[in-house]
Amino acid sequence: MAWTREQMAARASKELRDGFYVNLGIGIPTLVSNFIPEGMSVQLQSENGMLGMGPFPYDDEVDPDLINAGKQTVTELPTTSYFSSADSFGMIRGGHIDLSILGAMQVAQNGDLANWMIPGKMVKGMGGAMDLVAGVKRVVVLMEHEAKGESKLLKACNLPLTGARVVDLVITDLGVFTVDKKGGTGLTLIELADGVTLAEIAAKTDAEYRVALAA
Amino acid sequence: MRKVYASAAQALEGLVKDGMVIMSGGFGLCGIPEALVDALRDTGAKGLTAISNNAGVDGIGLGRLLETRQIKKMISSYVGENKLFAQLYLGGELELEFNPQGTMAERIRAGGAGIPGFYTKVGAGTLVAEGKPTREFNGETYIMETGLVADIALVHAWKGDTEGNLVYRKTARNFNPMMATAGKVTIVEVEHLVEPGEIDPDHIHTPGIFVQRIVHVPNGPKRIEQRTTRTRI
């Protein structure tokens, strides 16, 4: 039994703190917005030029001029502000965003992240991912532990990097790992998903890691 | 100087040449200068370099200039919604330069502000850094990126006056304000055209000095890529 996508998002929501400005990536990270604890003030940033992103609109509120970075229609809040892409990435690059939660194809034990390109195959582009991982104060990866039976948590990435030594925490469907991106202690397994054993993680993980489960 | 033109086609007249560099605003299909892009296609100009965050989608926006093979090179950050793009690129018919989105935004801002280059840590240690000069600041490696300018910049604004003062609406702002500053000639399509004085000077996003030509496009199509809604309980 591993975590579902919702359980992964719920676990990621524990990284939120009152007063945080947060950027959520496309896919499972977007689900984290459903798990913001009651009473906690968290402002969501959308890199296409919006701070204070509201929920999806009701049918009669849909506005083509109001979308998030995944091109989905969203709504504004009393706290909302709009700005240009240059100001948006000034916010990101300048270290004003507290937390970025994003997906990945591969993460290496040194904190390297790959999530934008498969040479010869996928031609989509990095969008804002390189800016986010380089500029945001804390980077949390939310991803499936394996893809097609292959570990996504590796000794070294073999896909082109999105950022070198940028990841702080990895949450997969099997558990949670901290990353010491300055070197030092490397990758450390700190939590197991419900019903997951150390043996299962060992069998499904290519990267080297220490185990320091919270009591 | 009269800045207002009667149609998108007339607003491009005398400016378009084969091989020129164009900028086109918008994020996805939000805030794209669709009437001006269609008019550019109708000029038949070839060998264009297009600087735009995205490449439209198949059959809309810059996607239409891909269909007619008028674009030689794209400078973009994300082109995932366009199947023809992938096909042309993988087939060697289209050159592509990917920029991290914020680097691209800053390159355009810098170009318009007379800054030929700047340093950023975004992309350090990745393919994006290849061939670019690097420099250490406070023990971290930064890569040099250059400013971008264009022969013509195509911009979409919500409201503009006849002097070219512009206001954008919600997330349709995106790349439009920087591109307005970085075109040797900037051409804007506005949804609402008003007389000078009707926009509060404190609320103007782009001052008219950056705008050379304006066309009024009321009731243009507004497209939604991902219509996501919730249900009233």
Side-chain angles (χ1 to χ4, degrees):
Chain A
M1 270 295 290
W3 277 330
T4 62
R5 287 158 54 96
E6 279 71 24
Q7 286 172 313
M8 291 166 68
R11 173 59 189 84
S13 74
K14 292 185 181 172
E15 303 303 313
L16 302 171
R17 298 290 178 270
D18 195 40
F20 261 21
Y21 294 98
V22 179
N23 184 292
L24 300 177
I26 295 162
I28 309 177
T30 303
L31 299 175
V32 176
S33 63
N34 298 330
F35 297 94
I36 299 170
E38 192 94 13
M40 184 183 279
S41 165
V42 170
Q43 299 293 322
L44 299 178
Q45 200 254 17
S46 190
E47 65 265 26
N48 54 319
M50 179 180 197
L51 191 62
M53 185 169 46
F56 293 148
Y58 294 118
D59 214 43
D60 54 9
E61 289 178 335
V62 169
D63 185 338
D65 288 342
L66 182 41
I67 62 169
N68 65 17
K71 284 113 182 172
Q72 297 172 310
T73 47
V74 294
T75 52
E76 65 186 26
L77 300 170
T79 52
T80 295
S81 55
Y82 299 111
F83 33 81
S84 72
S85 301
D87 284 344
S88 179
F89 284 95
M91 236 171 249
I92 290 166
R93 197 187 308 104
H96 306 280
I97 306 286
D98 298 290
L99 178 65
S100 167
I101 302 178
L102 73 177
M105 295 176 190
Q106 298 179 339
V107 175
Q109 62 198 36
N110 64 353
D112 286 358
L113 167 70
N115 74 352
W116 76 281
M117 184 190 191
I118 302 171
K121 256 192 190 168
M122 193 182 86
V123 200
K124 288 190 174 187
M126 67 290 276
M130 285 193 181
D131 310 87
L132 283 160
V133 299
V136 172
K137 286 181 199 158
R138 181 169 159 81
V139 174
V140 172
V141 166
L142 201 47
M143 68 175 190
E144 305 289 341
H145 203 92
E146 294 180 301
K148 293 173 187 158
E150 302 265 324
S151 176
K152 293 170 72 173
L153 209 45
L154 304 169
K155 292 186 182 70
C157 294
N158 53 38
L159 292 173
L161 295 186
T162 306
R165 294 179 183 271
V166 293
V167 177
D168 295 287
L169 188 77
V170 182
I171 300 168
T172 78
D173 50 329
L174 302 184
V176 182
F177 297 81
T178 57
V179 187
D180 182 355
K181 60 190 181 188
K182 299 241 188 297
T185 53
L187 201 61
T188 305
L189 173 63
I190 59 164
E191 284 174 48
L192 293 172
D194 305 334
V196 172
T197 62
L198 286 172
E200 181 178 0
I201 297 233
K204 292 180 173 175
T205 306
D206 171 76
E208 291 163 4
Y209 59 93
R210 303 183 311 137
V211 179
L213 298 176
Chain B
M1 186 176 100
R2 257 185 62 82
K3 293 187 178 181
V4 179
Y5 287 71
S7 69
Q10 286 173 42
L12 289 177
E13 225 165 67
L15 296 176
V16 179
K17 294 186 182 65
D18 287 352
M20 76 191 313
V21 178
I22 66 143
M23 286 182 183
S24 181
F27 181 92
L29 298 179
C30 183
I32 59 170
E34 190 168 341
L36 288 167
V37 170
D38 286 355
L40 179 62
R41 177 198 56 186
D42 294 342
T43 67
K46 290 189 177 60
L48 302 172
T49 293
I51 302 170
S52 177
N53 189 54
N54 314 95
V57 302
D58 292 303
I60 301 173
L62 290 177
R64 291 194 177 139
L65 277 81
L66 293 173
E67 282 173 359
T68 50
R69 310 291 193 270
Q70 285 167 273
I71 298 177
K72 180 188 71 176
K73 179 180 178 181
M74 287 280 320
I75 300 177
S76 300
S77 89
Y78 188 83
V79 295
E81 322 302 343
N82 197 312
K83 287 191 194 75
L84 177 62
F85 190 107
Q87 191 189 316
L88 292 176
Y89 173 68
L90 293 172
E93 287 186 71
L94 185 65
E95 290 171 54
L96 173 61
E97 181 186 323
F98 272 134
N99 281 195
Q101 196 171 130
T103 295
M104 188 168 147
E106 191 64 14
R107 291 184 70 191
I108 299 164
R109 195 196 70 79
I115 296 170
F118 59 92
Y119 286 93
T120 175
K121 63 183 169 183
V122 176
T126 76
L127 287 178
V128 164
E130 279 182 10
K132 291 173 185 165
T134 61
R135 194 172 152 179
E136 298 250 318
F137 293 91
N138 303 317
E140 271 198 88
T141 303
Y142 289 70
I143 61 179
M144 196 188 85
E145 295 281 0
T146 54
L148 286 172
V149 291
D151 295 306
I152 56 173
L154 307 181
V155 165
H156 177 111
W158 175 59
K159 191 191 272 191
D161 67 21
T162 56
E163 187 55 35
N165 295 308
L166 305 178
V167 177
Y168 308 95
R169 184 172 178 272
K170 302 188 189 284
T171 55
R173 189 182 315 190
N174 55 62
F175 281 83
N176 284 299
M178 295 84 74
M179 288 186 176
T181 70
K184 287 174 194 157
V185 180
T186 291
I187 311 160
V188 183
E189 60 180 73
V190 297
E191 296 174 44
H192 303 278
L193 182 65
V194 300
E195 291 302 316
E198 290 189 47
I199 304 172
D200 183 335
D202 268 334
H203 294 171
I204 290 167
H205 296 140
T206 293
I209 188 172
F210 295 114
V211 175
Q212 282 71 47
R213 298 186 178 194
I214 308 159
V215 59
H216 185 202
V217 182
N219 309 313
K222 289 216 183 180
R223 304 171 191 277
I224 295 173
E225 283 180 72
Q226 307 277 342
R227 188 188 176 94
T228 45
T229 56
R230 61 186 162 141
T231 315
R232 279 202 173 80
I233 302 160

